Amino acid sequence: MKGCWAKYALTGAFLALLAGCSSKPTDRGQQYKDGKLEQPLALVNQPNAKGRPVNGKDFGEQVRQVQYASSGLFGRQNGTYSAIESWLMAGADTRQLRQFGLNAFQMEGTDNYGNVQFTGYYTPVVEARYTRQGEFQYPIYRLPPRKRGEKLPSRASIYSGGIDDRYIIAYSNSLIDNFMMDVQGSGYVDFGDGRPMRFFGYAGKNGWGYHSIGKELIDRGEVKREDMSMQAIRQWAQEHSPQEVRTLLETNPSFVFFKAEEYTPVRGASAVPLIAKASVASDRSIIPAGTVLLAEVPQLNEKGKFNGKYEMRLMVALDVGGAIKGQHFDIYQGIGPDAAHLAGFYNHYGRVWVLKAAPGTGQPVFSNPQNGNNGSLLLGSN
């Protein structure tokens, strides 16, 4: 994102935050029903998927954002976008993709049986003030000057005042909220003065390696591996003293600095504004920017457990992340606490098909055909 687009080293950090999370396969949505796939992307005539996408309207808005923000990206993908528009307006039957000039390539997944990993990320909202006062005691910093390759102080040192106060740009009322914004790489800050929220974009890191506090709690035996989530971490923080919370966070020496901007849309690494649940971060070596995915996403209950059902979604790859490698996508969940709730739970599996306009037989999956038609798309809603 912008701020979060620079967070390409951080997007998907919940995977690192929740490192080691696992459970029984059926609890995480693995399906094991397609047979073994021998290549990362396998051409299939008809995806073995039921139901039409639930987010046609949001997908259409995401495509429009691509068109407005990046004419080059839109032009390279417009043949696919137009074919999907026609397919959606005709009812979005997965058995009819080829009739609309679309090829579907199933991803082999993390296990070669089509089970692709889904995690989630979001944009937090943090309450803060310009000066230290009352409950607002926890500094948020801008990036201090440094020489190339030089490390800045560790998190523990920064918490102890290792960076000059002149680099403080706000004081929040929650150290754990600061940390979560750190993990996400950007966030909105509400100064409580009636003015629009400020966007705090990613400005850089201190150069220290990342250590998962989720794994730390698991290793200590304080949270069960199968119960680990962002919510579990927050619950632990509520039940422990500020000093204990600080000590836990200090086990992760990595620290993120921010730059204050005017209120701005959340953007991905492609500099395109992101629409919740219609955009993902991907591994660009497999899934290039602008690629459309037809995804069978596992549904979770209010406790973050897989409820045995899936929903079909169309999503565009517009972001990247240091933890997002291979057969893995990070779904952008949106802004604020509701988005945080979903993002904090997702570490599940579903099936994914890459949709591409069919340029002819024998063509590679990603030939990036140029298309000069930049007409407006009016994708149908569901």
Side-chain angles (χ1 to χ4, degrees), residues 174-206:
S174 170
L175 192 61
I176 196 72
D177 281 354
N178 286 9
F179 183 82
M180 292 301 179
M181 185 166 70
D182 182 313
V183 169
Q184 296 304 307
S186 66
Y188 289 108
V189 175
D190 184 354
F191 283 100
D193 55 6
R195 291 187 288 182
M197 291 188 293
R198 301 291 300 278
F199 185 74
F200 274 32
Y202 176 89
K205 294 175 67 176
N206 61 349

Short mmCIF file of all heavy atoms in Angstrom, two decimals, residues 174-206:
data_model
loop_
_atom_site.label_atom_id
_atom_site.label_comp_id
_atom_site.label_asym_id
_atom_site.label_seq_id
_atom_site.Cartn_x
_atom_site.Cartn_y
_atom_site.Cartn_z
N SER A 174 -2.16 3.03 23.38
CA SER A 174 -2.05 1.57 23.43
C SER A 174 -0.76 1.11 22.75
O SER A 174 -0.61 1.30 21.54
CB SER A 174 -3.25 0.90 22.75
OG SER A 174 -3.04 -0.49 22.60
N LEU A 175 0.11 0.50 23.52
CA LEU A 175 1.34 -0.03 22.95
C LEU A 175 1.04 -1.18 21.99
O LEU A 175 1.70 -1.32 20.96
CB LEU A 175 2.27 -0.50 24.07
CG LEU A 175 3.71 -0.83 23.66
CD1 LEU A 175 4.40 0.40 23.09
CD2 LEU A 175 4.49 -1.36 24.86
N ILE A 176 0.05 -1.98 22.30
CA ILE A 176 -0.28 -3.11 21.42
C ILE A 176 -0.88 -2.60 20.11
O ILE A 176 -0.65 -3.18 19.04
CB ILE A 176 -1.23 -4.11 22.12
CG1 ILE A 176 -1.25 -5.46 21.37
CG2 ILE A 176 -2.62 -3.57 22.28
CD1 ILE A 176 -0.01 -6.26 21.51
N ASP A 177 -1.63 -1.48 20.15
CA ASP A 177 -2.15 -0.90 18.91
C ASP A 177 -1.00 -0.40 18.04
O ASP A 177 -1.02 -0.56 16.82
CB ASP A 177 -3.10 0.26 19.21
CG ASP A 177 -4.49 -0.21 19.61
OD1 ASP A 177 -4.75 -1.44 19.55
OD2 ASP A 177 -5.33 0.63 19.98
N ASN A 178 -0.02 0.22 18.68
CA ASN A 178 1.17 0.65 17.92
C ASN A 178 1.82 -0.54 17.24
O ASN A 178 2.24 -0.46 16.07
CB ASN A 178 2.18 1.32 18.85
CG ASN A 178 1.76 2.72 19.29
OD1 ASN A 178 0.63 3.14 19.02
ND2 ASN A 178 2.65 3.42 19.96
N PHE A 179 1.94 -1.63 17.98
CA PHE A 179 2.60 -2.81 17.44
C PHE A 179 1.82 -3.38 16.26
O PHE A 179 2.41 -3.79 15.25
CB PHE A 179 2.75 -3.86 18.54
CG PHE A 179 3.49 -5.09 18.08
CD1 PHE A 179 4.87 -5.11 18.04
CD2 PHE A 179 2.79 -6.22 17.69
CE1 PHE A 179 5.55 -6.24 17.61
CE2 PHE A 179 3.46 -7.35 17.25
CZ PHE A 179 4.84 -7.36 17.21
N MET A 180 0.49 -3.42 16.37
CA MET A 180 -0.31 -3.96 15.28
C MET A 180 -0.19 -3.08 14.03
O MET A 180 -0.16 -3.59 12.90
CB MET A 180 -1.78 -4.09 15.70
CG MET A 180 -2.01 -5.15 16.78
SD MET A 180 -1.46 -6.80 16.24
CE MET A 180 -1.84 -7.77 17.70
N MET A 181 -0.13 -1.76 14.20
CA MET A 181 0.09 -0.88 13.06
C MET A 181 1.48 -1.13 12.47
O MET A 181 1.68 -1.10 11.26
CB MET A 181 -0.09 0.58 13.44
CG MET A 181 0.02 1.53 12.23
SD MET A 181 -0.57 3.22 12.55
CE MET A 181 0.72 3.81 13.66
N ASP A 182 2.43 -1.37 13.34
CA ASP A 182 3.79 -1.73 12.94
C ASP A 182 3.77 -2.97 12.05
O ASP A 182 4.36 -3.00 10.96
CB ASP A 182 4.60 -1.96 14.21
CG ASP A 182 6.06 -2.29 14.00
OD1 ASP A 182 6.36 -3.15 13.15
OD2 ASP A 182 6.89 -1.71 14.70
N VAL A 183 3.06 -4.00 12.49
CA VAL A 183 2.98 -5.26 11.74
C VAL A 183 2.31 -5.04 10.38
O VAL A 183 2.75 -5.58 9.36
CB VAL A 183 2.22 -6.33 12.55
CG1 VAL A 183 1.90 -7.54 11.68
CG2 VAL A 183 3.05 -6.76 13.75
N GLN A 184 1.25 -4.24 10.34
CA GLN A 184 0.54 -4.00 9.09
C GLN A 184 1.30 -3.06 8.16
O GLN A 184 1.10 -3.05 6.96
CB GLN A 184 -0.86 -3.44 9.37
CG GLN A 184 -1.77 -4.40 10.12
CD GLN A 184 -1.90 -5.73 9.41
OE1 GLN A 184 -2.24 -5.80 8.24
NE2 GLN A 184 -1.62 -6.80 10.13
N GLY A 185 2.16 -2.22 8.73
CA GLY A 185 2.98 -1.35 7.91
C GLY A 185 2.39 0.01 7.62
O GLY A 185 3.05 0.87 7.02
N SER A 186 1.15 0.25 8.03
CA SER A 186 0.52 1.56 7.84
C SER A 186 -0.77 1.57 8.64
O SER A 186 -1.22 0.54 9.15
CB SER A 186 0.22 1.84 6.37
OG SER A 186 -0.76 0.95 5.88
N GLY A 187 -1.39 2.73 8.75
CA GLY A 187 -2.66 2.82 9.46
C GLY A 187 -3.20 4.23 9.43
O GLY A 187 -2.51 5.17 9.00
N TYR A 188 -4.43 4.38 9.85
CA TYR A 188 -5.04 5.70 10.01
C TYR A 188 -4.95 6.09 11.48
O TYR A 188 -5.12 5.25 12.37
CB TYR A 188 -6.50 5.68 9.55
CG TYR A 188 -6.65 5.58 8.05
CD1 TYR A 188 -7.10 4.40 7.46
CD2 TYR A 188 -6.33 6.65 7.23
CE1 TYR A 188 -7.22 4.30 6.08
CE2 TYR A 188 -6.46 6.55 5.85
CZ TYR A 188 -6.90 5.38 5.28
OH TYR A 188 -7.01 5.27 3.92
N VAL A 189 -4.70 7.36 11.72
CA VAL A 189 -4.58 7.87 13.09
C VAL A 189 -5.64 8.93 13.32
O VAL A 189 -5.75 9.90 12.56
CB VAL A 189 -3.17 8.44 13.34
CG1 VAL A 189 -3.09 9.08 14.72
CG2 VAL A 189 -2.13 7.32 13.22
N ASP A 190 -6.42 8.74 14.38
CA ASP A 190 -7.47 9.67 14.77
C ASP A 190 -6.96 10.50 15.94
O ASP A 190 -6.75 9.98 17.03
CB ASP A 190 -8.73 8.89 15.17
CG ASP A 190 -9.91 9.79 15.49
OD1 ASP A 190 -9.74 11.03 15.52
OD2 ASP A 190 -11.00 9.24 15.74
N PHE A 191 -6.75 11.80 15.70
CA PHE A 191 -6.23 12.67 16.74
C PHE A 191 -7.32 13.24 17.65
O PHE A 191 -7.04 14.01 18.57
CB PHE A 191 -5.42 13.81 16.13
CG PHE A 191 -4.04 13.38 15.68
CD1 PHE A 191 -3.78 13.10 14.35
CD2 PHE A 191 -3.01 13.22 16.60
CE1 PHE A 191 -2.51 12.70 13.94
CE2 PHE A 191 -1.75 12.82 16.20
CZ PHE A 191 -1.49 12.56 14.86
N GLY A 192 -8.58 12.86 17.39
CA GLY A 192 -9.67 13.25 18.28
C GLY A 192 -9.98 14.73 18.28
O GLY A 192 -10.58 15.24 19.23
N ASP A 193 -9.58 15.45 17.21
CA ASP A 193 -9.81 16.89 17.17
C ASP A 193 -10.87 17.30 16.15
O ASP A 193 -11.01 18.48 15.83
CB ASP A 193 -8.50 17.62 16.86
CG ASP A 193 -7.82 17.11 15.57
OD1 ASP A 193 -8.44 16.28 14.87
OD2 ASP A 193 -6.69 17.55 15.29
N GLY A 194 -11.60 16.30 15.64
CA GLY A 194 -12.67 16.60 14.69
C GLY A 194 -12.21 16.70 13.25
O GLY A 194 -13.04 16.79 12.35
N ARG A 195 -10.92 16.71 13.04
CA ARG A 195 -10.40 16.78 11.67
C ARG A 195 -10.29 15.39 11.07
O ARG A 195 -10.29 14.39 11.80
CB ARG A 195 -9.03 17.48 11.66
CG ARG A 195 -9.13 18.96 11.99
CD ARG A 195 -7.79 19.67 11.81
NE ARG A 195 -6.84 19.30 12.85
CZ ARG A 195 -5.61 19.80 12.94
NH1 ARG A 195 -5.18 20.67 12.03
NH2 ARG A 195 -4.81 19.42 13.92
N PRO A 196 -10.21 15.28 9.73
CA PRO A 196 -10.08 13.95 9.12
C PRO A 196 -8.87 13.19 9.66
O PRO A 196 -7.86 13.79 10.02
CB PRO A 196 -9.91 14.27 7.62
CG PRO A 196 -10.56 15.60 7.45
CD PRO A 196 -10.28 16.36 8.72
N MET A 197 -8.99 11.89 9.70
CA MET A 197 -7.89 11.07 10.16
C MET A 197 -6.67 11.26 9.26
O MET A 197 -6.81 11.50 8.05
CB MET A 197 -8.29 9.60 10.20
CG MET A 197 -9.32 9.27 11.27
SD MET A 197 -9.60 7.47 11.43
CE MET A 197 -10.38 7.12 9.86
N ARG A 198 -5.50 11.13 9.84
CA ARG A 198 -4.26 11.19 9.07
C ARG A 198 -3.84 9.77 8.72
O ARG A 198 -4.02 8.84 9.51
CB ARG A 198 -3.15 11.86 9.88
CG ARG A 198 -3.44 13.28 10.32
CD ARG A 198 -3.48 14.25 9.16
NE ARG A 198 -2.21 14.31 8.43
CZ ARG A 198 -1.14 15.04 8.80
NH1 ARG A 198 -1.18 15.74 9.94
NH2 ARG A 198 -0.06 15.07 8.06
N PHE A 199 -3.25 9.64 7.55
CA PHE A 199 -2.72 8.34 7.15
C PHE A 199 -1.25 8.28 7.52
O PHE A 199 -0.47 9.16 7.16
CB PHE A 199 -2.88 8.14 5.64
CG PHE A 199 -2.46 6.77 5.17
CD1 PHE A 199 -3.24 5.67 5.42
CD2 PHE A 199 -1.28 6.59 4.46
CE1 PHE A 199 -2.87 4.41 4.99
CE2 PHE A 199 -0.89 5.34 4.02
CZ PHE A 199 -1.69 4.25 4.28
N PHE A 200 -0.88 7.28 8.29
CA PHE A 200 0.52 7.07 8.66
C PHE A 200 1.07 5.96 7.76
O PHE A 200 0.79 4.78 7.97
CB PHE A 200 0.64 6.69 10.13
CG PHE A 200 0.70 7.87 11.06
CD1 PHE A 200 0.02 9.06 10.77
CD2 PHE A 200 1.43 7.81 12.23
CE1 PHE A 200 0.07 10.15 11.62
CE2 PHE A 200 1.49 8.90 13.10
CZ PHE A 200 0.81 10.07 12.79
N GLY A 201 1.84 6.37 6.78
CA GLY A 201 2.40 5.43 5.82
C GLY A 201 3.75 4.89 6.27
O GLY A 201 4.43 5.47 7.11
N TYR A 202 4.12 3.79 5.69
CA TYR A 202 5.39 3.13 6.00
C TYR A 202 6.55 4.02 5.57
O TYR A 202 6.61 4.49 4.43
CB TYR A 202 5.44 1.80 5.26
CG TYR A 202 6.73 1.03 5.39
CD1 TYR A 202 6.92 0.13 6.43
CD2 TYR A 202 7.75 1.17 4.46
CE1 TYR A 202 8.10 -0.61 6.54
CE2 TYR A 202 8.93 0.44 4.55
CZ TYR A 202 9.10 -0.44 5.60
OH TYR A 202 10.26 -1.16 5.70
N ALA A 203 7.51 4.26 6.48
CA ALA A 203 8.67 5.08 6.16
C ALA A 203 9.98 4.29 6.20
O ALA A 203 10.98 4.74 5.64
CB ALA A 203 8.76 6.26 7.12
N GLY A 204 9.99 3.15 6.85
CA GLY A 204 11.21 2.36 6.93
C GLY A 204 11.26 1.54 8.20
O GLY A 204 10.40 1.64 9.08
N LYS A 205 12.31 0.69 8.29
CA LYS A 205 12.50 -0.18 9.45
C LYS A 205 13.84 0.12 10.09
O LYS A 205 14.68 0.81 9.52
CB LYS A 205 12.44 -1.64 9.03
CG LYS A 205 11.09 -2.09 8.52
CD LYS A 205 11.13 -3.52 8.01
CE LYS A 205 11.37 -4.50 9.12
NZ LYS A 205 11.33 -5.91 8.64
N ASN A 206 14.03 -0.44 11.27
CA ASN A 206 15.28 -0.20 12.00
C ASN A 206 16.40 -1.16 11.61
O ASN A 206 17.53 -1.02 12.07
CB ASN A 206 15.05 -0.29 13.52
CG ASN A 206 14.57 -1.66 13.97
OD1 ASN A 206 14.21 -2.52 13.16
ND2 ASN A 206 14.55 -1.87 15.28
#
